[in-house]
Amino acid sequence: MYYALGAFVALVLAFVLIYNSLVMKRNQVSNIESGVDTQLKRRYDLIPNLVASVKEYLVHEKSLLERITALRSSAQGAMTSEQKFDLNSQISGLMPNLKVAVENYPELKANENILTLQKSLNEVEEQISAARRAYNAAVTQYNNAVEMFPSNIVANLMNFKKAAFFKAPENERTNHNVSELFKRD
């Protein structure tokens, strides 16, 4: 009788400890995701300033500016993490093209406002990259806990679901063809 009661108490205690660990890991993912959102908001705030500053110079790159602006608006209204990550990956993929476009205009490249905005945008991009790494590390820990025995039993019982990773855009995973970046219409 005492052994059965002891075993039951041990199982309940193990269940509670595992559940609390899962909650802590899920909350850590949410917390770090908020940090990513903060950096993305900084990017969203910088993009209109950069676009407005370079618009008069970049007549040939008008479609690039319009695409970045449209993606920014869509990303701000994204309903799920997956949508947000996908749209921001697309923005990340276009940013090098904008930098190359600016490089093609010496008077623009020398403009103090543009230099400040570019520096700020580069800093934000680095912070987004660091935040992505931290987020993905937290997601790895959380997903491992959701999938590995014995915590997967508690995770399934309590309806814990795997979190989505923040993936690098396709163009960041492939080698760049530098000559393509300098082609003009």
Side-chain angles (χ1 to χ4, degrees):
M1 164 87 165
Y2 291 115
Y3 293 116
L5 182 62
F8 177 74
V9 169
L11 282 174
V12 169
L13 184 59
F15 182 89
V16 168
L17 290 173
I18 291 171
Y19 176 80
N20 288 343
S21 175
L22 286 166
V23 169
M24 182 182 69
K25 287 174 175 47
R26 181 179 60 193
N27 289 343
Q28 183 180 19
V29 168
S30 296
N31 181 27
I32 294 172
E33 184 177 1
S34 294
V36 172
D37 285 341
T38 300
Q39 296 308 319
L40 294 175
K41 172 138 180 30
R42 286 186 63 209
R43 176 201 267 169
Y44 301 153
D45 293 345
L46 283 171
I47 287 174
N49 294 331
L50 185 60
V51 169
S53 297
V54 300
K55 207 172 224 174
E56 65 186 76
Y57 291 97
L58 301 181
V59 175
H60 296 289
E61 286 78 8
K62 182 179 178 187
S63 64
L64 173 63
L65 295 172
E66 289 172 350
R67 180 75 178 135
I68 290 172
T69 302
L71 285 170
R72 172 192 171 266
S73 297
S74 296
Q76 285 182 304
M79 296 298 183
T80 66
S81 293
E82 289 81 7
Q83 288 174 335
K84 178 175 54 179
F85 295 162
D86 179 55
L87 291 166
N88 279 288
S89 292
Q90 290 179 49
I91 291 171
S92 293
L94 292 175
M95 296 313 284
N97 295 336
L98 180 60
K99 290 175 188 172
V100 168
V102 169
E103 293 290 322
N104 289 332
Y105 295 85
E107 66 280 1
L108 178 61
K109 189 174 147 185
N111 181 295
E112 188 67 34
N113 189 34
I114 299 300
L115 293 174
T116 302
L117 287 169
Q118 278 187 310
K119 182 180 177 195
S120 297
L121 195 56
N122 285 337
E123 289 171 3
V124 168
E125 293 297 325
E126 288 172 13
Q127 291 170 353
I128 288 171
S129 178
R132 283 179 184 169
R133 285 191 303 274
Y135 174 81
N136 284 343
V139 167
T140 298
Q141 288 181 345
Y142 172 74
N143 286 350
N144 285 344
V146 167
E147 293 182 302
M148 296 172 79
F149 182 81
S151 58
N152 67 332
I153 295 169
V154 176
N156 287 332
L157 286 172
M158 302 308 288
N159 204 25
F160 283 84
K161 302 290 181 208
K162 287 178 58 177
F165 285 99
F166 200 135
K167 295 180 182 169
E170 186 63 36
N171 69 324
E172 289 180 14
R173 288 186 253 153
T174 59
N175 290 331
H176 291 283
N177 182 350
V178 176
S179 64
E180 287 294 315
L181 295 174
F182 290 100
K183 284 188 179 176
R184 301 194 58 149
D185 293 334

